């Protein structure tokens, strides 16, 4: 098959997602364009490591690895990158399933040698069976999904979204791996933005690099019931602000907040207007969506302010790993 060989990395950390993990692996194994391999990277959980090793001991294209770095998603991804044999490394969340042509659309994006990363579209699967009426689509990033305001089709972007993304191996040679100290660490505060920081660092190391999102490369991401409530919405928005402060400290506010400025000045005001219009037309959830957008903006801004103060006082608190070549 023409095109690059693709390794898929799935980072896992808890047995509570056992069925989700199996479904994620099954979705990779069912791809119309087969993956070279699937790497399950277990984040400092010996019981889960042993259980997955036994589950896939007869599966030649599935390898189970222990996170070789500090606890957290970034180090797990870096472990997968170092072990992967593919020309391209794709990342899939452990509570998501990919549509059958996911890898085919990724592979097509790399026909241009300047393309260093290709991301896709992530659709929410709500535990309750439907989107909460108050939850604005503009904030679907809260639950790790593609949000209203991103351009449709095959488009150039500043950064891809980490749970549904792929990179050329040479991208990591140029920029290093994911920074530890920014993103998620098991069950601690739900930080993020590690892929944003990497993508900005990549385009600085390779000014000719092109990063794409192809919205035909679709995954379906499970949203547990606990994340359908306003308490999680607020906590995640605050954590995003903290993370954005770290990114801005790493790469500067010009690139670190470039997309966010457009989002805050164009996408969100339009969302508030739609919500208020729906309220006036007696449509369900309109006032709630408008209020949630305002609350989300204020909460994220508060997190950014606090994160900026902490970053100035403590200095840079994350490190960038150098990635060794893929293993044979």
């Amino acid at each position: 098959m023409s095109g690059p060989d693709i390794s898929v990395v799935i980072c896992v950390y808890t047995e509570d997602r056992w069925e989700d993990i199996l479904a994620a692996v099954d979705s990779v194994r069912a791809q119309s364009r087969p993956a070279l391999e699937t790497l399950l990277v277990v984040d400092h959980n010996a019981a889960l490591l042993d259980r997955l090793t036994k589950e896939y001991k007869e599966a030649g294209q599935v390898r189970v690895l222990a996170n070789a770095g500090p606890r957290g998603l970034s180090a797990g991804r870096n472990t997968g990158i170092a072990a992967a044999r593919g020309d391209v490394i794709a990342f899939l969340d452990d509570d998501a399933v990919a549509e059958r042509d996911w890898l085919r659309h990724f592979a097509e994006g790399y026909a241009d040698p300047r393309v260093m990363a290709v991301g896709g579209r992530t659709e929410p699967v709500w535990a309750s069976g439907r989107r909460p009426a108050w939850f604005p689509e503009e904030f679907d990033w809260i639950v790790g999904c593609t949000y209203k305001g991103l351009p449709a089709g095959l488009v150039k972007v500043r950064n891809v979204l980490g749970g549904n993304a792929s990179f050329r191996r040479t991208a990591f040679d140029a920029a290093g791996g994911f920074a530890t100290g920014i993103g998620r660490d098991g069950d601690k505060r739900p930080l993020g933005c590690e892929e944003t920081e990497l993508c900005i660092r990549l385009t600085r190391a390779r000014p000719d690099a092109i990063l794409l999102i192809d919205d035909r490369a679709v995954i379906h991401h499970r949203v547990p019931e606990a994340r359908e409530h306003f308490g999680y919405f607020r906590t995640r928005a605050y954590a995003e602000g903290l993370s954005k402060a770290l990114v801005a400290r790493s790469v500067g506010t010009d690139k670190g907040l470039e997309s966010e400025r457009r989002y805050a000045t164009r996408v969100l005001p339009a969302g508030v207007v739609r919500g208020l219009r729906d309220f006036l037309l007696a449509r369900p959830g309109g006032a709630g969506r408008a209020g949630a957008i305002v609350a989300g903006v204020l909460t994220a801004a508060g997190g950014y302010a606090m994160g900026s103060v902490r970053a100035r006082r403590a200095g840079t608190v994350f490190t960038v790993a150098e990635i060794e070549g893929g293993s044979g």
Side-chain angles (χ1 to χ4, degrees):
M1 183 174 291
S2 61
D5 288 330
I6 304 179
S7 298
V8 177
V9 173
I10 303 173
C11 295
V12 303
Y13 71 97
T14 176
E15 289 186 88
D16 293 342
R17 292 185 176 181
W18 178 256
E19 296 299 329
D20 292 332
I21 294 167
L22 299 186
V25 173
D26 285 347
S27 75
V28 176
R29 298 173 81 179
Q31 289 294 298
S32 61
R33 187 189 197 284
L36 176 67
E37 59 189 346
T38 301
L39 306 178
L40 286 170
V41 183
V42 183
D43 192 17
H44 297 268
N45 184 328
L48 179 58
L49 178 68
D50 181 65
R51 190 177 179 187
L52 285 171
T53 299
K54 292 177 180 176
E55 178 72 23
Y56 291 109
K57 65 180 180 180
E58 304 296 334
Q61 300 306 311
V62 180
R63 288 194 282 158
V64 180
L65 311 169
N67 179 2
R71 188 171 184 243
L73 180 58
S74 290
R77 286 173 173 166
N78 291 338
T79 296
I81 295 164
R85 297 187 290 252
D87 306 312
V88 167
I89 300 152
F91 298 93
L92 178 66
D93 276 345
D94 63 344
D95 52 357
V97 293
E99 291 192 359
R100 180 172 169 77
D101 292 329
W102 179 59
L103 290 182
R104 180 172 69 82
H105 292 306
F106 275 176
E108 290 171 355
Y110 291 100
D112 184 337
R114 297 172 298 169
V115 172
M116 288 288 112
V118 182
R121 186 172 86 250
T122 301
E123 297 285 352
V125 179
W126 304 94
S128 62
R130 55 189 290 180
R131 171 186 297 275
W134 64 269
F135 202 114
E137 293 181 43
E138 291 84 358
F139 274 79
D140 276 6
W141 55 263
I142 290 278
V143 291
C145 295
T146 300
Y147 55 90
K148 190 179 186 68
L150 284 177
L154 178 64
V155 293
K156 295 180 182 180
V157 292
R158 180 195 65 179
N159 63 274
V160 296
L161 305 179
N164 179 10
S166 64
F167 294 83
R168 286 194 196 273
R169 170 168 294 284
T170 52
F172 302 109
D173 297 335
F178 288 91
T180 58
I182 293 181
R184 290 178 184 255
D185 178 0
D187 295 322
K188 294 183 179 179
R189 176 171 281 152
L191 301 173
C193 298
E194 64 274 15
E195 65 274 6
T196 301
E197 193 274 341
L198 170 62
C199 288
I200 295 172
R201 189 164 16 98
L202 171 59
T203 52
R204 286 186 170 177
R206 289 282 305 270
D208 63 332
I210 295 173
L211 283 63
L212 300 173
I213 284 183
D214 186 340
D215 66 5
R216 299 172 302 168
V218 179
I219 70 169
H220 299 269
H221 185 271
R222 188 174 68 83
V223 180
E225 192 271 339
R227 296 185 182 182
E228 295 187 9
H229 299 289
F230 185 71
Y232 180 82
F233 181 93
R234 185 176 54 192
T235 298
R236 179 68 183 88
Y238 184 78
E240 184 75 1
L242 293 175
S243 300
K244 282 291 191 292
L246 286 175
V247 172
R249 182 170 180 84
S250 171
V251 300
T253 57
D254 55 339
K255 282 292 185 182
L257 298 178
E258 180 182 46
S259 295
E260 288 72 17
R261 289 192 187 98
R262 291 194 298 269
Y263 171 73
T265 59
R266 300 178 187 178
V267 175
L268 296 185
V272 172
V273 170
R274 278 192 298 272
L276 293 176
R277 180 196 62 199
D278 287 347
F279 169 69
L280 293 174
L281 294 173
R283 293 171 179 166
R289 289 192 297 275
I293 291 173
V294 174
V297 170
L298 294 176
T299 304
Y304 182 82
M306 179 59 71
S308 297
V309 170
R310 291 178 180 175
R312 284 196 298 269
R313 289 177 178 173
T316 302
V317 294
F318 54 89
T319 56
V320 176
E322 292 186 7
I323 304 295
E324 301 292 335
S327 63

